[in-house]
Amino acid sequence: MYSLIEKAKEKIRKAERLVAFTGAGISITSGIPPFRGPGGLWSKYDPSILDIDFFISNPKQSWKYIKEIFYEYLLKDVKPNPAHVALAKLTCPVITQNIDNLHQAAGSEDVIEFHGTAQTLVCMDCSKRFNRNNIDLSVDIPRCDCGGVLKPDFVFFGEQIPKDALDKSFMLAQICDVMLVVGTTGEIMPASQIPIFAKNNGAFIIEVNPNPSNYTGGITDIFLQYKAEEVLPKLVEGVKDVR
Ligand SMILES: [Zn+2]
């Protein structure tokens, strides 16, 4: 039987410009809960701690929870899972909404972090960046050499998407002929527009999600209803040799 998985493999193998677009669903098995939905972070924490205006006015209060969530709990000691590893084997650009660094940890070299990263901290005054491992996070408010407050280098509520990431993501969406959409339901603007833009520019859309999303039945050409870590290793079997 010519299964959907086989059909998707064929498309991936023949793609001239393959691009992957990922979201929270790919990292759940690595132990990172999603932000939204039942059991998500925002059912336990007030999202306003990541509001940029709140952060500027109350850095100490924000940092208390930022440390707890991102540096002592959520992203501490997380490792890539078979989905990240499989995607790295495709050696294609990966546009991710995740801030967990797991695509890079799995070996993907061209990763566009649409929402930034928790790996670095940025000074609110002079914009200097620091690796999180070089900063003492035990203090109330981590600061730059210049005295400015450091902020995790991911996009807070009320902040713009980093211009480089925005431009490169939509450029890739425009030129790709196949887009592999994994673990994202298309609810968060403007990231959610990336696969739609790809589709409008002629790309074939392969979607991997455990449940139907905003894309399914709309722009999706092949819907693989699986968890990412179940199906991605199958999708890349034999593909790398041919590409
Ligand atoms: Zn500074």
Side-chain angles (χ1 to χ4, degrees):
M1 197 187 93
Y2 195 58
S3 72
L4 282 179
I5 291 177
E6 289 302 318
K7 197 175 165 195
K9 277 176 77 166
E10 179 84 5
K11 278 286 174 187
I12 289 169
R13 190 162 60 233
K14 289 187 174 166
E16 288 183 8
R17 286 206 173 104
L18 174 70
V19 170
F21 175 62
T22 69
I26 197 169
S27 291
I28 291 172
T29 299
S30 291
I32 301 177
F35 287 93
R36 291 151 197 262
L41 276 177
W42 301 141
S43 63
K44 296 180 196 134
Y45 294 94
D46 180 350
S48 70
I49 56 168
L50 294 186
D51 181 283
I52 190 63
D53 292 329
F54 183 86
F55 178 80
I56 290 167
S57 316
N58 309 277
K60 188 177 168 183
Q61 205 176 338
S62 275
W63 261 112
K64 178 176 187 291
Y65 292 106
I66 288 168
K67 281 187 275 188
E68 190 175 315
I69 298 173
F70 295 96
Y71 299 108
E72 291 164 8
Y73 155 59
L74 185 64
L75 299 177
K76 191 171 163 64
D77 302 329
V78 289
K79 300 220 160 34
N81 67 57
H84 297 102
V85 173
L87 210 48
K89 285 185 182 162
L90 291 176
T91 67
C92 64
V94 179
I95 304 165
T96 187
Q97 297 165 83
N98 301 339
I99 60 169
D100 54 30
N101 205 47
L102 292 181
H103 287 300
Q104 292 94 327
S108 284
E109 289 179 0
D110 190 3
V111 181
I112 298 98
E113 295 172 305
F114 198 79
H115 291 145
T117 177
Q119 282 298 110
T120 52
L121 307 176
V122 59
C123 174
M124 297 292 285
D125 289 350
C126 73
S127 301
K128 186 174 172 185
R129 284 177 161 78
F130 299 84
N131 187 298
R132 56 171 282 190
N133 297 322
N134 298 331
I135 295 294
D136 178 7
L137 292 176
S138 67
V139 297
D140 286 345
I141 304 174
R143 288 184 185 274
C144 176
D145 317 326
C146 80
V149 172
L150 294 177
K151 183 188 91 71
D153 203 7
F154 53 77
V155 176
F156 278 34
F157 297 115
E159 280 193 303
Q160 298 289 318
I161 302 298
K163 188 175 185 306
D164 288 354
L166 187 73
D167 290 350
K168 189 166 182 197
S169 297
F170 280 92
M171 183 273 288
L172 288 169
Q174 188 170 11
I175 65 172
C176 70
D177 58 346
V178 176
M179 181 170 275
L180 183 56
V181 176
V182 184
T184 178
T185 53
E187 288 171 353
I188 303 174
M189 284 278 281
S192 58
Q193 298 305 303
I194 293 169
I196 297 167
F197 192 70
K199 178 72 175 180
N200 289 343
N201 282 278
F204 188 89
I205 308 292
I206 300 168
E207 176 187 351
V208 175
N209 269 321
N211 297 299
S213 74
N214 289 348
Y215 302 125
T216 322
I219 62 162
T220 297
D221 292 296
I222 295 179
F223 178 45
L224 301 173
Q225 188 165 3
Y226 299 93
K227 289 180 179 171
E229 64 275 15
E230 288 170 358
V231 77
L232 284 186
K234 289 180 189 163
L235 276 186
V236 307
E237 271 172 18
V239 164
K240 199 194 169 199
D241 305 336
V242 186
R243 278 180 60 80

